[in-house]
Structures are given as structure tokens and as C-alpha cells.
């Protein structure tokens, strides 16, 4: 660990922006303010400051963001399904600071346990958090599950202390050499293994770009311009993210940047497929609400009661949600949390243009009789027909109903 | 489904449980870098709990409707067993013999051959066991591949070998729950899944997998299923005496077994053999090999009898396994042709075909100026 932090401090000018004490582990966590005084809805206002210290964090505006368990489709791991069976909404306190050069976001969420992925275990998983940003300014927001075609997202991921060994610490499997393939013995071999261990232990911090599921690509060079840390207080995780306001991957020098959060609870065996997700919120450097925020905050004015009826006739034959369980379990995504994880515009888009974003997690080979998508000319097309023929009012009503679905 | 399928046949009548295959595989692939606990090839005693412990009860595979079934992820210490060593160095200075792993004392409770040679039944009247060597089945409908949400597992078109693309794998481990044979493993050091690769770098050079090459009982046949001259094809398709393990899992395995039908007779109270009463119950073998078992048994016994009476039987000649070159029908030229078509040298580095698999693009989806991914 020492080696990593030493490396990161040299390599990253932004590392100094991380709160004092937090990088050191337990020391300093007592100073971290986990409370959230003011509350904004769906907007994280960046407070301007000269230095990113604990006082600045204390005074920063705070927003409560709701994250709902991912339930679009169960996984095939009995243990994680059981652990997440009664999972409930989690509230994260989110703050932002900027000094003009860099922007820092802090996410504080309750989690009593500090879960790590053991270095000799097949059944342990690490806690973690991720921030996903829309790369472009558009009121047409990307799908929260790793973006959509032509609407790229940038994802920053930090997992808690996953110890992985790769001999040059650069994700490079080519360089792997077993100690038994080295012509060494005794102290030489010990030194070699120590070297492998020192160099191989890397912080599990990654940046990705994605335009829809399967296109997610790690952008290793981005490591130069951001840093993430997570510190456990005993009752909460305090995750901090710092990046240059502007770099080649993501420009945050925008009035409002759409962002979603994801949280992993290692104790509950969380990983892809089972985690908590938020809908879009906007990170704002000014107080003016722009078009993107309006799109994020748009609430359908339709009649939810009427929408429920329409959904029963038009959606429930395939989709399961709330108390509707007529659809075959693998036929279509479960919509029970859609109101907590999607904007109204996404719900509407999915009704009229189902091909725009395919919900990830479904492997066609696993349930061949229920194809969520068909491959046409190498492109995955949703098996759901477009409901664009419906009256605009009907669609609004269905959207209003689905926006109410969360628990 | 791949264009062609490379398959292996193992004749269980001849397996002596010597573990030479296990050692060949271990020294070649799994003695380092977090793979230390894995046995891509293991030989377990049946009936027994197997490796990993109780794998047959750990879920995965498909039901009759074709839906992937939920499964479990075995525990390294309790189900696979930790690789341990003893403190021999310290014993020079008077220490007591202690099992250790990485210098720390451990108390092993399971291992890959923990219940080896533990028989069922009453000695000497009807006790029995047999050996079941297992590798990845390189299934036509792999459970691991179907469980992966990232498309990190792929089946090679040219020979149906199932591989993990280590660049795409993020270590979620759903593949382990999805594989009913539990023949895909989690590497905790890399935080990625790894599995038997059917020694494809050897196969591409015309050599059989190391486990087959080293097998002293000569029980393993390797070849393409569509090679009608090959012994694998004859055993699987012509004589239908080689059957996939647990076909009820629905993954269509491509490692086939000649069931152990030539077991000794049971003894009566006086210790005399009872003719026709096999020690290995048909029910056991039917559970392992499904409905095709009965016909396979009938064919094997009939051909055995024919050979005894007439001195002729192609099937028995094949099972005697006279020549390696007949048992291993690999096609070096074929692989060279594939390499040519793919525009890569025939001796391309392993990583080009393995770490960067079918779904990983060599050029990044997105290139950051001044940076560079790959």
C-alpha cells in the first residue's frame, strides 16, 4: 500500500486535493462530516473553494441521492440473490467542491462493514463506488446502464483494496512470470516475489468510456488526471473523487454535468448485476438550472392511475414489476425499480424506441427461448416492439406510473 | 456452436488413478500466480464428493427448457482445498511438523483427492469405486459462457475450445455458478476467472493436451468430432460407446467417457464371484451418463464377446489404444490454415489468441490524445 500512495502522490498533482488524513487510513476519519444539512433535489451544487480541506467539505452544499437495488434481472448466483433479496433504497450524501482547476466530489453512504476482496478467496467481494458522467451536453441523456449509442458516458470506479498481483502493475498479463519459471533460489527468489508483490499491487481505480453495454473500454491513460479514494469511518464510507476540471476524457467545465452513482456492498456479495444505482442528477457549477437539469427533473404530468391500467394491458404480459408477475421471469427486464433509476425521458424513449438502449445483464445463450434482443446485421435490436403507435396521452400516463415504481 | 469441435474420449475401464495427467497439467499451467489451488485436470474417486467438494450438487447448467440454472461458487479452503506444504526447514531446528500455506499454519479440511480410493459397499462382497478424471468439457452450450454478463468467455470457431478473455473478465464469478461441472475457477490474485484451455498452444502444433500425452493408461483419445477416420469420431458417433458426463446438465459436453462396464463380479457369502452381478451398479452409471448408457454398455459387452470369440472387433482394437498417432488425430496443417486466414503467424504469442479474445478489440474504442490504451 505504501508504495502505491507514494506513487500516486508523485504522479497526480490532484492527489493533494484529497482530504487530509483520509489517504492515511484510519487517522483523520473522525473529522469527516457524514451529516447532510441542506438538501437539494437531483442537483449537486459545486461550492467554490481555494483548498479542498475538511472545513471546505463541511461547508459545501449537500445533496441526498437515492440509490435503488439493481433488479432488472436476477443473477445466476444463488448466494448474491439471497443476500440482495430484501435490499432497500440507500441514501448517499453528495457534495462537490471546485477551485477552478480541479473538481472534487464526495459521496458518503452508510455501510457498517469494510469489505475487502481477499487475496485467497473465491467468495469475498469488495465495497466500491462509481461515478458515471454523460460525456456530452445533451438533454437526450444516455441510458444509465453504461450509456447508449452516440451518447457516451465516462465512468470512474473505485473498489476497496482489491489486492491483485500483476508483475509490472500495469494490467499486463503478458509479463506474468511464475517464480518457478525463474532460474532462482532462496533469497533471490524471495526478492523476486517481493518485487512482484510491490509492483503488482495496484489501486483498483479505473476510468472507462462506454456507449452502451459491451462497448465499455478502460481508458488507462486517464489515470493521470483523476484520483479516487474511499475511507471507512466505522459506520459510513467516504468516497472522494478528484479530477482536473477539464481533460481529454471528460470536460466538467460545464454549467451542469449529468451524473449517476453506483454503490457496491461487498458484504452482500455485490458486483455487476447486483448493486445500487441512482438515476441522473446534475453536478452544477452555477446555480442556474439549465436544460439538462430540466430533462433530469422532468416528471410526467400524466395520470399514474390510468397509466397503471394501460401498463397492465400493454407491459405486464412481458415485464414483471411491483405486484405484477405475469411475465415469464426471463422474458423482459423487471421494472420494479424503474422509477428510482430512470428519468421520465428514458422511460418514454424505451416505450417508443426500444432499440435505443438495451438493458444489460442478459445473456441470450442463458435463456434462448426469451430473447431480449435479436442480432440484425451484427447489431443488437430489442425484441420489444415499439409502442409509438400509442396516443401521446397514454404514453405520458404510463410514464407517470412507471416513475412511481421504486422501493 | 463452433464450426468444428475438438473432443476428448476417456476410457474409464482403464483409468488407474495415477494422477499423472493431474501432474502434467499442474506443472504446465497451474503451479503459479494464483492458480496454485486449481486443478484444471483432476482425477476423483467415484462414488465420492469429488473436486470441488460436492460439485454435482452446486447448481448451474440448464434445465429441460434451456434456461440457465442458478448455482453456487465453491469456497477455496472448504471446497477446493488449500495447497499446503510442511515446515521442513524449521524442523531442522526442532519445530513440529505443521501444514503451512505461504508461511502460515493452516488446517486443511479438503483437497482434490481427499477421499481418494474410498470405496462404497461391503468388503469383500460388493465394495467398489472407480476413477473419474475430469477436465473442462469445452461444452457446445457452455454454462460459464452463458452466465457471463460481459461476454468475456468465448468458444473458438476453429475447434470449439472455450476460453476466458482475460482482458474482458472483471472477476464477477457468475461463470463459476453457471458451470455445472465447476471447471472454471476464480484466480484471486488476478481477480479473474481461469480454466482449462485444452492445451491449445500444443494442439495448434499438432500435439495432444499434456494430460492426454502423459496418460500412462492410454485412456485418452483426442480428435475432431467430424473427422470420420478418427478414433474419437468412431467411439462417439459410430459405436456410441463414449458419452458425455451428466448430459442432464444440458451443456452438451465434449469430453466423452467410455463407462466402466467391465467391473468385477460381486462375491457371495463364501467369497465366490456371482457371474453377471457387476460391482458398479447400473444406477450409478446411469446417473452419470444418462439414458445412452444402457446402449453403450450393451455394445461394449457385445464387442468384447465378439472379440473373444472371433478375435476381431474394431471397437476393442481402438480401446486397446495401440498407437498414439492413431489416438491423437490433430491437424497441424488445419491450424496453420486458420492462422493464415486470420492473418496472424502460426506461432502467434499465446496472448494474442487468449488474453485478447473474440470480443476484445486490439484498438481501443476510444483513444485519449497523448495517452493510449494498448
Amino acid at each position: 500500500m505504501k508504495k502505491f500512495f507514494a506513487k500516486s502522490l508523485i504522479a497526480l498533482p490532484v492527489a493533494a486535493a484529497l482530504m487530509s488524513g483520509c489517504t492515511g487510513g484510519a487517522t483523520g476519519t473522525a473529522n469527516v462530516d457524514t451529516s447532510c444539512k441542506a438538501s437539494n433535489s437531483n442537483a449537486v451544487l459545486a461550492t467554490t473553494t481555494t483548498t479542498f480541506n475538511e472545513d471546505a467539505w463541511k461547508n459545501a452544499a449537500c445533496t441526498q441521492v437515492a440509490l435503488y437495488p439493481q433488479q432488472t434481472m436476477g443473477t445466476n448466483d444463488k448466494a448474491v440473490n439471497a443476500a440482495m433479496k430484501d435490499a432497500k433504497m440507500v441514501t448517499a450524501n453528495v457534495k462537490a467542491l471546485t477551485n477552478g482547476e480541479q473538481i472534487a466530489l464526495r459521496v458518503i453512504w452508510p455501510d457498517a462493514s469494510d469489505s475487502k476482496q481477499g487475496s485467497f478467496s473465491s467468495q469475498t467481494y469488495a465495497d466500491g463506488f462509481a461515478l458515471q458522467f454523460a460525456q456530452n451536453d445533451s438533454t437526450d441523456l444516455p441510458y444509465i446502464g453504461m450509456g447508449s449509442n452516440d451518447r457516451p458516458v465516462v465512468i470512474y470506479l473505485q473498489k476497496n483494496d482489491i489486492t491483485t498481483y500483476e508483475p509490472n502493475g500495469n494490467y499486463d498479463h503478458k509479463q506474468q512470470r511464475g517464480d518457478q519459471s525463474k532460474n532462482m533460489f532462496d533469497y533471490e527468489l524471495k526478492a523476486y516475489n517481493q518485487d512482484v508483490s510491490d509492483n503488482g499491487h495496484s489501486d483498483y481505480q479505473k476510468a472507462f468510456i462506454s456507449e452502451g453495454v459491451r462497448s465499455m473500454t478502460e481508458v488507462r491513460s486517464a489515470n493521470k488526471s483523476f484520483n479516487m479514494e474511499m475511507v471507512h469511518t466505522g459506520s459510513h464510507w467516504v468516497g472522494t473523487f478528484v479530477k482536473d476540471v477539464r481533460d481529454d476524457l471528460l470536460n466538467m467545465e460545464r454549467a451542469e454535468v449529468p451524473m449517476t452513482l453506483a454503490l457496491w456492498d461487498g458484504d452482500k456479495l455485490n458486483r455487476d448485476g447486483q448493486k445500487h444505482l441512482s438515476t441522473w442528477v446534475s453536478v452544477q457549477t452555477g446555480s442556474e438550472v439549465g436544460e439538462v437539469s430540466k430533462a433530469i427533473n422532468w416528471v410526467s404530468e400524466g395520470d399514474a392511475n390510468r397509466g397503471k391500467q394501460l401498463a397492465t394491458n400493454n407491459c405486464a404480459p412481458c415485464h414483471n414489476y411491483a405486484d405484477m408477475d405475469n411475465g415469464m421471469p426471463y422474458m423482459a427486464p423487471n421494472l420494479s425499480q424503474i422509477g428510482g433509476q430512470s428519468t421520465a425521458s428514458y422511460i418514454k424513449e424505451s416505450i417508443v424506441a426500444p432499440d435505443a438502449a438495451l438493458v444489460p445483464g442478459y445473456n441470450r445463450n442463458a435463456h434462448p427461448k426469451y430473447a431480449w434482443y435479436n442480432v440484425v446485421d451484427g447489431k443488437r435490436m430489442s425484441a420489444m416492439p415499439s409502442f409509438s403507435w400509442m396516443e401521446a396521452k397514454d404514453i405520458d400516463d404510463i410514464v407517470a406510473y412507471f416513475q412511481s415504481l421504486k422501493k | 456452436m463452433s464450426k468444428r469441435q475438438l473432443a476428448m474420449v476417456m476410457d474409464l475401464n482403464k483409468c488407474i488413478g495415477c494422477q499423472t495427467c493431474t501432474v502434467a497439467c499442474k506443472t504446465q499451467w497451474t503451479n503459479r500466480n494464483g492458480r496454485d489451488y486449481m486443478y484444471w485436470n483432476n482425477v476423483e474417486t467415484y462414488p465420492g464428493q469429488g473436486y470441488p467438494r460436492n460439485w454435482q450438487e452446486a447448481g448451474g447448467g440448464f434445465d429441460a427448457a434451456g434456461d440457465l440454472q442458478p448455482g453456487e461458487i465453491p469456497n477455496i479452503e472448504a471446497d477446493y482445498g488449500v495447497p499446503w506444504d510442511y515446515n521442513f526447514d524449521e524442523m531442522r531446528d526442532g519445530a513440529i511438523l505443521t501444514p503451512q500455506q505461504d508461511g502460515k499454519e493452516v488446517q486443511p479440511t479438503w483437497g482434490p483427492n481427499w477421499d481418494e480410493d474410498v470405496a462404497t459397499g461391503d468388503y469383500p462382497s460388493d465394495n467398489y469405486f472407480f476413477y473419474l478424471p475430469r477436465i473442462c468439457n469445452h461444452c457446445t452450450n457452455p454454462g460459464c459462457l452463458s452466465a457471463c454478463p460481459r461476454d468475456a468467455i468465448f468458444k473458438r470457431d476453429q475447434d470449439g475450445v472455450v476460453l476466458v478473455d482475460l482482458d474482458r473478465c472483471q472477476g464477477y464469478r457468475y461463470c463459476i455458478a453457471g458451470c455445472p461441472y465447476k471447471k472454471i475457477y476464480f484466480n484471486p490474485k488476478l481477480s479473474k476467472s481461469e480454466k482449462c484451455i485444452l492445451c491449445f498452444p500444443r494442439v495448434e502444433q499438432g500435439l495432444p493436451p499434456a494430460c492426454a500425452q502423459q496418460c500412462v493408461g492410454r485412456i485418452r483419445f483426442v480428435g475432431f468430432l467430424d473427422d470420420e477416420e478418427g478414433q474419437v469420431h468412431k467411439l462417439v458417433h459410430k459405436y456410441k460407446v463414449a458419452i458425455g458426463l451428466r448430459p442432464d446438465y444440458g451443456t452438451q459436453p465434449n469430453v466423452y467417457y467410455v463407462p466402466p462396464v467391465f467391473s468385477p463380479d460381486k462375491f457371495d457369502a463364501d467369497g465366490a464371484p456371482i457371474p453377471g452381478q457387476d460391482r458398479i451398479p447400473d444406477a450409478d452409471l446411469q446417473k452419470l451418463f444418462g439414458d445412452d448408457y444402457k446402449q453403450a454398455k450393451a455394445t461394449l459387452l457385445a464387442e468384447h464377446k465378439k472379440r473373444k470369440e472371433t478375435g476381431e472387433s474394431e471397437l476393442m482394437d481402438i480401446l486397446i489404444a495401440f498407437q498414439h498417432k492413431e489416438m491423437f488425430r490433430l491437424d497441424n496443417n488445419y491450424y496453420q490454415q486458420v492462422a493464415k486466414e486470420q492473418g496472424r503467424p502460426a506461432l502467434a504469442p499465446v496472448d494474442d489468441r487468449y488474453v485478447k479474445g473474440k470480443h476484445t478489440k486490439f484498438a481501443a474504442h476510444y483513444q485519449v490524445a497523448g495517452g493510449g490504451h494498448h
Side-chain angles (χ1 to χ4, degrees):
Chain A
M1 286 305 276
K2 260 183 192 161
K3 187 140 184 173
F4 155 63
F5 286 121
K7 201 161 56 181
S8 70
L9 286 166
I10 296 160
L12 295 175
V14 290
L18 288 162
M19 57 286 169
S20 59
C22 272
T23 50
T27 55
T29 54
N31 299 331
V32 176
D33 180 13
T34 55
S35 68
C36 192
K37 286 176 199 107
S39 178
N40 305 295
S41 131
N42 293 351
V44 180
L45 301 178
T47 306
T48 307
T49 180
T50 45
T51 48
F52 298 162
N53 55 24
E54 280 310 315
D55 280 342
W57 283 118
K58 240 170 221 168
N59 297 326
C62 179
T63 303
Q64 294 198 311
V65 176
L67 293 98
Y68 294 88
Q70 183 177 21
Q71 285 184 345
T72 44
M73 182 172 176
T75 77
N76 71 316
D77 176 14
K78 285 179 188 170
V80 68
N81 290 349
M84 292 295 281
K85 193 165 160 270
D86 299 317
K88 295 276 182 328
M89 183 260 271
V90 169
T91 305
N93 300 337
V94 186
K95 296 176 178 183
L97 292 175
T98 178
N99 61 7
E101 298 281 306
Q102 281 133 17
I103 188 161
L105 281 144
R106 180 172 272 190
V107 183
I108 300 170
W109 71 97
D111 185 344
S113 58
D114 170 359
S115 313
K116 298 178 169 74
Q117 181 171 303
S119 60
F120 194 68
S121 165
S122 55
Q123 293 176 321
T124 50
Y125 302 86
D127 293 332
F129 76 110
L131 310 174
Q132 171 181 258
F133 300 95
Q135 201 187 31
N136 303 327
D137 267 330
S138 166
T139 53
D140 236 359
L141 291 160
Y143 174 51
I144 60 157
M146 298 178 248
S148 1
N149 281 340
D150 303 325
R151 283 178 271 173
V153 291
V154 176
I155 300 162
Y156 297 96
L157 167 71
Q158 172 74 54
K159 286 288 183 95
N160 175 33
D161 199 24
I162 291 182
T163 311
T164 54
Y165 294 96
E166 289 167 71
N168 62 4
N170 196 28
Y171 312 98
D172 195 343
H173 301 277
K174 286 183 185 176
Q175 302 303 323
Q176 277 193 65
R177 293 289 293 276
D179 53 7
Q180 301 195 11
S181 67
K182 307 296 280 186
N183 204 4
M184 294 175 181
F185 300 95
D186 205 7
Y187 63 88
E188 272 185 325
L189 197 57
K190 275 187 185 146
Y192 169 76
N193 282 331
Q194 188 59 47
D195 198 35
V196 167
S197 168
D198 288 349
N199 288 308
H201 186 165
S202 54
D203 185 21
Y204 201 94
Q205 164 187 298
K206 297 181 176 189
F208 301 93
I209 184 153
S210 178
E211 277 185 39
V213 68
R214 297 173 83 245
S215 69
M216 192 163 85
T217 306
E218 192 179 347
V219 185
R220 284 163 194 168
S221 55
N223 268 321
K224 296 188 189 90
S225 60
F226 83 98
N227 199 6
M228 291 169 94
E229 300 287 2
M230 51 194 288
V231 174
H232 201 250
T233 66
S235 61
H236 288 73
W237 274 111
V238 179
T240 307
F241 165 80
V242 188
K243 85 179 275 294
D244 293 343
V245 168
R246 192 179 190 123
D247 62 28
D248 293 322
L249 185 61
L250 180 69
N251 173 20
M252 300 261 303
E253 216 170 15
R254 293 141 72 186
E256 40 188 12
V257 186
M259 173 181 83
T260 71
L261 300 176
L263 300 177
W264 286 265
D265 184 353
D267 230 24
K268 300 227 163 62
L269 317 179
N270 278 197
R271 65 269 205 196
D272 180 74
Q274 288 282 21
K275 56 179 178 279
H276 275 78
L277 296 167
S278 81
T279 183
W280 289 107
V281 297
S282 67
V283 180
Q284 296 177 2
T285 47
S287 56
E288 277 177 39
V289 175
E291 292 302 310
V292 173
S293 296
K294 280 185 197 159
I296 288 172
N297 290 316
W298 177 45
V299 179
S300 170
E301 285 167 5
D303 176 351
N305 283 329
R306 197 168 164 272
K308 187 176 180 182
Q309 282 304 318
L310 287 162
T312 304
N313 295 335
N314 292 287
C315 312
C318 297
H319 290 280
N320 290 338
Y321 53 87
D323 52 358
M324 302 298 288
D325 56 0
N326 300 331
M328 299 300 286
Y330 312 116
M331 185 78 106
N334 186 307
L335 304 178
S336 297
Q337 302 285 13
I338 193 164
Q341 290 166 344
S342 307
T343 59
S345 58
Y346 166 73
I347 299 173
K348 188 170 179 177
E349 180 184 73
S350 299
I351 295 170
V352 299
D355 292 331
L358 292 183
V359 175
Y362 172 81
N363 185 317
R364 221 183 115 125
N365 206 49
H367 305 289
K369 283 201 295 193
Y370 311 101
W372 283 14
Y373 59 84
N374 295 300
V375 182
V376 182
D377 297 332
K379 231 185 126 196
R380 292 184 175 192
M381 309 294 274
S382 176
M384 173 176 154
S386 166
F387 282 71
S388 56
W389 51 267
M390 287 182 108
E391 299 285 337
K393 162 92 175 89
D394 292 352
I395 294 174
D396 282 348
D397 290 349
I398 294 177
V399 173
Y401 172 61
F402 281 146
Q403 274 201 288
S404 73
L405 285 182
K406 52 189 158 184
K407 60 185 181 193
Chain B
M1 195 188 276
S2 52
K3 277 184 198 147
R4 296 189 78 189
Q5 180 67 53
L6 193 62
M8 187 182 284
V9 172
M10 301 191 199
D11 183 356
L12 297 185
N13 293 288
K14 292 162 68 185
C15 180
I16 57 167
C18 67
Q19 306 280 6
T20 307
C21 48
T22 309
V23 173
C25 178
K26 168 107 337 231
T27 52
Q28 179 113 344
W29 301 115
T30 64
N31 60 359
R32 54 195 180 268
N33 292 351
R35 294 188 286 272
D36 321 40
Y37 82 89
M38 305 175 195
Y39 285 84
W40 290 354
N41 179 107
N42 75 293
V43 182
E44 58 200 50
T45 295
Y46 192 92
Q49 294 183 62
Y51 173 85
R53 193 175 199 164
N54 291 329
W55 62 269
Q56 293 194 69
E57 275 79 52
F62 300 86
D63 64 6
D67 287 316
L68 185 69
Q69 297 299 294
E72 291 159 25
I73 297 165
N75 180 291
I76 290 186
E77 289 177 9
D79 301 320
Y80 296 104
V82 291
W84 76 90
D85 208 337
Y86 291 94
N87 55 335
F88 296 119
D89 289 352
E90 293 164 20
M91 285 174 73
R92 280 186 312 222
D93 307 324
I96 295 163
L97 184 75
T98 324
Q100 291 189 333
Q101 186 217 348
D102 287 344
K104 284 184 213 119
E105 186 178 338
V106 287
Q107 285 304 327
T109 56
W110 194 251
N113 53 353
W114 196 266
D115 57 0
E116 190 167 85
D117 293 1
V118 176
T120 297
D122 293 324
Y123 175 81
S125 56
D126 61 357
N127 58 313
Y128 73 97
F129 70 81
F130 61 91
Y131 297 110
L132 185 62
R134 300 201 305 122
I135 64 169
C136 165
N137 286 296
H138 297 277
C139 304
T140 301
N141 183 29
C144 59
L145 182 151
S146 305
C148 182
R150 264 187 74 70
D151 289 332
I153 301 178
F154 62 105
K155 191 166 171 67
R156 298 209 308 183
D157 248 2
Q158 63 264 45
D159 54 13
V161 171
V162 177
L163 297 175
V164 181
D165 179 341
L166 292 182
D167 245 7
R168 286 199 68 78
C169 178
Q170 294 286 323
Y172 302 142
R173 297 165 244 182
Y174 293 117
C175 51
I176 302 170
C179 172
Y181 303 97
K182 298 293 171 269
K183 273 292 171 190
I184 183 160
Y185 304 81
F186 181 63
N187 182 329
K189 274 199 171 180
L190 303 183
S191 194
K192 288 169 193 294
S193 288
E194 294 186 305
K195 62 183 286 300
C196 158
I197 58 175
L198 205 60
C199 285
F200 75 81
R202 291 174 55 91
V203 163
E204 288 179 10
Q205 300 307 312
L207 295 166
C211 56
Q213 175 85 56
Q214 296 294 83
C215 178
V216 295
R218 301 165 82 91
I219 76 158
R220 299 192 187 213
F221 303 79
V222 184
F224 287 90
L225 277 179
D226 61 2
D227 174 11
E228 293 187 7
E229 297 303 308
Q231 298 189 334
V232 164
H233 175 91
K234 285 179 179 168
L235 291 167
V236 174
H237 288 311
K238 185 175 173 190
Y239 292 101
K240 299 186 182 359
V241 293
I243 318 165
L245 185 64
R246 292 301 302 259
D248 53 312
Y249 289 147
T251 64
Q252 301 169 45
N254 286 305
V255 171
Y256 299 83
Y257 294 89
V258 179
V261 299
F262 301 109
S263 67
D265 295 330
K266 289 179 186 170
F267 291 168
D268 63 16
D270 302 324
I274 314 170
Q277 284 210 16
D278 294 339
R279 278 174 184 261
I280 303 177
D282 276 340
D284 275 23
L285 298 174
Q286 212 145 351
K287 182 191 168 198
L288 288 180
F289 302 111
D291 293 339
D292 291 341
Y293 161 69
K294 272 188 182 163
Q295 187 54 49
K297 181 181 182 183
T299 306
L300 284 163
L301 294 178
E303 289 288 324
H304 190 238
K305 189 161 171 267
K306 185 176 134 197
R307 168 73 186 228
K308 265 187 170 168
E309 288 167 5
T310 67
E312 295 203 358
S313 163
E314 186 192 25
L315 176 58
M316 289 298 125
D317 280 348
I318 291 172
L319 292 176
I320 286 168
F322 286 108
Q323 295 286 336
H324 262 176
K325 69 172 190 238
E326 297 293 328
M327 295 167 68
F328 308 139
R329 291 261 296 191
L330 292 152
D331 193 342
N332 192 10
N333 292 333
Y334 168 63
Y335 282 105
Q336 286 186 0
Q337 192 60 36
V338 169
K340 211 170 159 188
E341 280 163 18
Q342 292 178 346
R344 59 168 175 79
L347 270 170
V350 167
D351 306 282
D352 287 357
R353 294 160 291 166
Y354 178 25
V355 177
K356 290 167 188 165
K358 196 173 175 182
H359 298 295
T360 290
K361 301 194 169 41
F362 282 81
H365 169 76
Y366 181 88
Q367 209 81 38
V368 177
H373 168 63
H374 295 309

